[in-house]
Amino acid sequence: MLQPIVLVHGGAGDIPFERVDGKLVGVKAAAKIGYHKLQETGCVLDAVEEAVRNMELDPYFNASYGSVLTADATIELEASIMNGANLKVGCAALVKDIMHPISLARKVMNTPHNFLAGNGAMELAEQESFEILHSGQLVTHYAREALAEWKEGLNKGEERFARTEIGTENKYKKVETETVGAVAIDCKGNIAVATSTGGITGKLPGRIGDTPLIGSGTYADNLVGVSTTGHGETIMKYCLAHTILKRIDFLKENAQIATENACKTMTERLIGEGGAITIDYKGQVGISFTSKRMAWAYVKDSTIHYGIEKNQHLQEFL
Ligand code: ASP
């Protein structure tokens, strides 16, 4: 019998110091809520969905409420969820004005398709009685400021930094990314993964990143589950989630080493930074990021583990 685990991340990036505490509170709460859900229903999909829903409500994260803005100052959301027991997936992109894109992605699992985007995704949301919010209700002051700062950088001819975003200097601190994700394993070794984001500040309308892409932002089978975060254009070229799985499967690396090596080699090869959280079939956890910070937390055996800085691993008994 394995120990059940719910592991979450709150996004990799150049997170400014003043956002650190809020993010740690958010990831710890999400891990606990996801774990309680797992105890309540025994279902890893329920656990990851619940953990992500919690972070979608939290303006400290770039997912649903608090999402970053496109160059047109709108919000376009994306999410994916995968069940490691049967490889069923649900993905949604170019979604607007709903509070829980991760739950819409889960509804996509019940259609004949894997991925719905734009109008089709919104039609499903309406059919499934999702509350459609007024345009602009998900926009925060922080996101507006981040877009203004991004535009200022662009006007100064610093597009390279502003569009690349990850790995930029502190002066672009408000364009850091803060996507959310969760991985869970139950005592029988069933694994599920969920990831949700608003993307990157100043993205062109219609841009889709790595988060809803299976193998890039999310992957789960009962061998390994991975949720990633960071510069989407980089992560999707490297298929980061599936690369971690391959390292565990073929190179026999453990979850931590595979996650570290995959993030490191991706950044060495493609420059863009990122991070990932992993649980493997032995119930081993992997957490790594090449960005300055990434908030993470997991609950296992009545203890919550968490951190946000490099090589930081704090724990508290629940
Ligand atoms: N990967 C996301 C994207 O590029 C952003 C993030 O992880 O924060 O859309």
Side-chain angles (χ1 to χ4, degrees), residues 3-259:
Q3 291 279 2
I5 304 169
V6 175
L7 166 64
V8 307
H9 71 74
D14 197 9
I15 298 161
F17 183 71
E18 63 268 23
R19 302 267 287 178
V20 163
D21 284 350
K23 281 178 158 301
L24 284 176
V25 168
V27 287
K28 285 165 74 179
K32 285 188 214 169
I33 283 164
Y35 192 80
H36 287 146
K37 194 72 181 179
L38 184 56
Q39 287 177 318
E40 185 190 317
T41 70
C43 172
V44 280
L45 273 178
D46 290 347
V48 291
E49 181 185 356
E50 193 67 18
V52 166
R53 279 175 68 91
N54 209 261
M55 291 185 282
E56 286 175 337
L57 289 170
D58 186 335
Y60 270 96
F61 301 109
N62 168 21
S64 201
Y65 182 56
S67 282
V68 299
L69 304 180
T70 67
D72 288 353
T74 55
I75 285 183
E76 294 182 348
L77 305 166
E78 46 198 52
S80 59
I81 188 164
M82 185 162 186
N83 184 352
N86 54 15
L87 305 192
K88 280 187 88 169
V89 298
C91 312
L94 306 179
V95 168
K96 292 180 182 173
D97 303 325
I98 61 166
M99 192 51 99
H100 293 299
I102 197 62
S103 297
L104 183 60
R106 190 159 178 196
K107 294 290 183 196
V108 174
M109 281 180 142
N110 303 330
T111 74
H113 308 300
N114 292 344
F115 199 147
L116 290 180
N119 291 344
M122 292 312 297
E123 269 173 38
L124 181 67
E126 279 170 37
Q127 276 162 26
E128 294 287 349
S129 308
F130 280 62
E131 186 185 358
I132 309 297
L133 305 169
H134 296 296
S135 162
Q137 261 184 285
L138 297 174
V139 177
T140 59
H141 180 63
Y142 190 82
R144 273 197 211 96
E145 277 191 343
L147 184 66
E149 195 170 346
W150 176 84
K151 284 190 169 164
E152 200 187 305
L154 200 64
N155 289 339
K156 286 186 192 151
E158 289 159 335
E159 179 174 11
R160 181 167 68 90
F161 294 111
R163 278 221 192 268
T164 304
E165 168 173 351
I166 305 284
T168 58
E169 297 178 7
N170 262 346
K171 94 188 176 182
Y172 292 109
K173 62 189 180 184
K174 292 205 177 74
V175 293
E176 87 278 9
T177 63
E178 299 160 345
T179 290
V180 304
V183 185
I185 188 168
D186 68 13
C187 59
K188 297 184 198 128
N190 291 307
I191 294 176
V193 179
T195 315
S196 177
T197 192
I200 56 176
T201 294
K203 66 183 181 180
L204 296 174
R207 176 265 193 190
I208 295 174
D210 59 305
T211 300
L213 302 184
I214 294 305
S216 292
T218 292
Y219 202 82
D221 68 16
N222 282 358
L223 176 69
V224 182
V226 184
S227 172
T228 75
T229 167
H231 186 235
E233 279 67 12
T234 298
I235 292 172
M236 70 170 79
K237 283 185 271 195
Y238 205 68
C239 296
L240 181 59
H242 206 263
T243 296
I244 293 171
L245 178 143
K246 283 192 293 181
R247 297 192 78 102
I248 292 171
D249 198 8
F250 301 135
L251 301 180
K252 306 296 172 209
E253 292 179 344
N254 70 31
Q256 181 57 33
I257 297 293
T259 308

